[in-house]
Amino acid sequence: MKIGVILFGVFLLSWLGPDEIGLTDLLISLREGEETGNQLMLAVFLLVSLNTVLALFHYIGALLLGDEIAARLNRPWLKIIIPLIVIPLDYIVINAYYSLTYSFSAYALLLLLAILLLQAFEKDRLKPIIKTIICSQLIFGIEWLNEIPSLSQYGFGQGSISKELTGIAVQIGFEQSLTLYSLTLCLIFVINAVILAVYFSLAEQKWRIKQELHYAQLEAMQSRSGREALYLVHDLKTPLTTIEGLNSLISMKVDDSKIKEYCQRISASILSVSEMISEILYDDKKHWCRIKDLVEYVGASRLSGTNLNLKVDFQTDPEIKIFINKIRMTRALVNLIDNAYDAVNGIEDGKILLKVKTYENELWLGVSDNGKGISPKEQEKIWKAGFSTKSHPGMGLAFVRQVAEGHGASVEIDSKLGHGTIFWIKLAEGSVSR
């Protein structure tokens, strides 16, 4: 898209030139000696406006292209280098393609320097539309320097039409008036551009600080809620110990075989709950667990009390065991499933699939949906705590990554707009037993 903006600016002159805006007719009138100060100022204004429109596509396209390439390659210095290369190339192409002369002189160098200073100052804080508005102000302001006759000796106003207009201004004694108008308009628009850049940069920075503070508050709230839950879970051990003691006493006091069998079942259930409590209290507490048992536990945790169905695709032996903290891994998968249901909400043929497969010596747990997908830009942000495409921020995917890393696993996403999304938790060889 950025390259398209640059090319559009190069070829725009084929459809939008001096003839189309009436500048040629004014020049003819001025050449024939019908010159007046008003006609000259109108011609200058039309020329500056035309050059601003044409230059804007070159400069903003080059800036946004630099931003894009720098972000993709993680090389911030390319934000400066790309415009330095692209913009002079634009002038070469234009001069080769058109009969008019567009000189890359002092004006272009000053404008390029101003744009690069803006690029360095804003530090990715300005949105493309704001950057476009500020660039248009800068270009329009600096363009007026080309119309000051006395600056021609310093490399300004080297274009063929600019030379002709400044020459006419000198000829009719309008040099000082043109200089005053040009300097005034230049200062007004350049200062306005600087004010806008500072204002929007500070506003964007303030918004980001608010967002980070909001994320920090969210994490603090979740941390507090988590601690309270841990205290509550820890307190469950006391009644469990009492229940286990009374159950053992009942088993010893009776001779009925059926009651003894019931007591054994109660004891097994108490042991299971005790292990679950340990996994909740201690992140590094792990046990060997069959894939089949984990999937059943995930289904029970996610679907209890709902009328939703979760389909499971076993592409490997469900009896394979993995060394995990079952509670935390379940919570991670449930988070992914919740996101998947949000993605297909409102879609008539929405499908959610829990996938289990082996790849070489790894075991992959995946949650897929056929929802709208996630854009590449959002994929860069989704792992940040607090980011959400819904109306409220959450910790879901940040928590999923945290759980995966706690198991020595990785999390990957494969998503295309309009084609759905799949998240994979990839457990390494040491966590899998066949």
Side-chain angles (χ1 to χ4, degrees):
M1 185 185 70
K2 284 78 176 181
I3 294 173
V5 170
I6 296 170
L7 293 176
F8 181 78
V10 170
F11 296 107
L12 181 60
L13 196 57
S14 299
W15 312 294
L16 183 65
D19 293 341
E20 286 73 19
I21 64 173
L23 180 58
T24 302
D25 294 336
L26 275 173
L27 283 172
I28 293 172
S29 177
L30 290 168
R31 287 170 191 153
E32 292 175 351
E34 300 175 7
E35 62 271 359
T36 66
N38 289 337
Q39 281 184 308
L40 180 63
M41 281 305 301
L42 178 59
V44 170
F45 179 81
L46 289 175
L47 177 61
V48 170
S49 300
L50 175 62
N51 286 339
T52 298
V53 172
L54 296 174
L56 180 61
F57 287 99
H58 308 319
Y59 283 88
I60 196 63
L63 288 183
L64 296 180
L65 182 63
D67 290 343
E68 181 78 17
I69 294 176
R72 285 178 179 267
L73 300 180
N74 196 25
R75 298 287 189 274
W77 50 270
L78 287 175
K79 291 175 57 178
I80 306 297
I81 298 299
I82 296 298
L84 281 174
I85 296 172
V86 171
I87 292 173
L89 283 176
D90 282 347
Y91 279 81
I92 294 172
V93 172
I94 289 172
N95 286 324
Y97 191 76
Y98 299 103
S99 58
L100 295 172
T101 302
Y102 278 79
S103 175
F104 189 78
S105 54
Y107 146 76
L109 289 172
L110 179 61
L111 181 54
L112 182 58
L113 177 62
I115 297 293
L116 293 179
L117 285 174
L118 169 66
Q119 187 84 324
F121 168 75
E122 59 96 12
K123 296 180 180 178
D124 293 326
R125 289 194 289 261
L126 297 178
K127 294 180 173 63
I129 184 64
I130 300 300
K131 192 177 288 189
T132 301
I133 293 171
I134 293 172
C135 282
S136 65
Q137 301 271 324
L138 270 177
I139 295 170
F140 189 76
I142 294 176
E143 277 283 353
W144 281 98
L145 296 178
N146 282 327
E147 313 313 319
I148 299 178
S150 60
L151 291 182
S152 59
Q153 58 184 317
Y154 300 108
F156 289 89
Q158 297 303 304
S160 55
I161 300 179
S162 289
K163 283 183 177 179
E164 185 172 0
L165 288 174
T166 53
I168 293 172
V170 173
Q171 201 174 45
I172 66 174
F174 203 73
E175 179 181 359
Q176 289 185 347
S177 297
L178 180 59
T179 299
L180 178 61
Y181 288 142
S182 298
L183 276 176
T184 302
L185 289 169
C186 173
L187 288 173
I188 289 173
F189 282 94
V190 170
I191 292 173
N192 192 49
V194 172
I195 292 172
L196 285 175
V198 172
Y199 173 78
F200 283 112
S201 292
L202 293 177
E204 183 69 17
Q205 187 177 22
K206 184 178 179 181
W207 180 83
R208 291 188 181 186
I209 291 172
K210 283 185 176 180
Q211 287 294 102
E212 290 173 1
L213 179 61
H214 180 67
Y215 297 153
Q217 290 173 339
L218 178 65
E219 289 180 344
M221 288 174 61
Q222 291 208 346
S223 177
R224 185 178 66 186
S225 299
R227 287 196 303 271
E228 291 172 352
L230 290 179
Y231 295 149
L232 178 60
V233 170
H234 183 271
D235 291 342
L236 289 175
K237 284 195 167 187
T238 300
L240 276 178
T241 303
T242 304
I243 294 170
E244 174 63 19
L246 292 173
N247 185 61
S248 299
L249 184 61
I250 292 172
S251 179
M252 288 188 299
K253 291 289 186 179
V254 299
D255 295 325
D256 191 313
S257 60
K258 205 65 177 175
I259 293 178
K260 285 184 177 291
E261 180 185 344
Y262 294 153
C263 288
Q264 288 175 355
R265 291 184 182 179
I266 293 172
S267 182
S269 297
I270 292 171
L271 179 61
S272 177
V273 172
S274 180
E275 289 178 351
M276 290 167 58
I277 289 174
S278 296
E279 291 184 359
I280 294 172
L281 291 175
Y282 309 107
D283 295 350
D284 58 349
K285 191 76 172 179
K286 301 181 179 70
H287 296 91
W288 287 102
C289 172
R290 291 187 307 172
I291 292 293
K292 179 182 178 181
D293 295 335
L294 174 65
V295 169
E296 289 177 353
Y297 192 69
V298 168
S301 300
R302 174 60 181 82
L303 304 174
S304 178
T306 73
N307 58 354
L308 301 173
N309 293 317
L310 176 66
K311 293 184 179 180
V312 182
D313 178 20
F314 277 108
Q315 300 175 20
T316 187
D317 183 3
E319 297 295 326
I320 289 177
K321 292 184 178 180
I322 50 177
F323 191 64
I324 58 170
N325 183 312
K326 189 169 77 170
I327 301 298
R328 287 176 65 79
M329 184 60 70
T330 297
R331 285 183 59 202
L333 290 171
V334 167
N335 272 330
L336 293 178
I337 294 168
D338 285 340
N339 288 342
Y341 273 106
D342 288 333
V344 300
N345 186 30
I347 297 177
E348 187 174 345
D349 59 342
K351 295 178 182 177
I352 308 294
L353 197 60
L354 177 59
K355 297 184 176 183
V356 183
K357 72 175 185 178
T358 52
Y359 180 78
E360 294 181 350
N361 293 319
E362 296 181 340
L363 187 131
W364 294 9
L365 300 169
V367 176
S368 69
D369 66 72
N370 62 341
K372 64 179 182 180
I374 304 173
S375 69
K377 184 173 288 187
E378 286 183 340
Q379 288 182 37
E380 297 174 3
K381 303 176 182 178
I382 56 176
W383 305 107
K384 186 175 181 179
F387 176 81
S388 176
T389 57
K390 293 170 280 189
S391 59
H392 58 86
M395 299 288 288
L397 291 175
F399 174 76
V400 171
R401 172 171 279 181
Q402 181 184 2
V403 171
E405 290 174 351
H407 286 79
S410 61
V411 185
E412 293 182 9
I413 177 176
D414 182 11
S415 182
K416 292 181 181 178
L417 287 175
H419 292 84
T421 303
I422 181 167
F423 284 92
W424 288 107
I425 298 177
K426 301 180 178 180
L427 292 163
E429 180 180 0
S431 301
V432 183
S433 175
R434 299 176 186 277

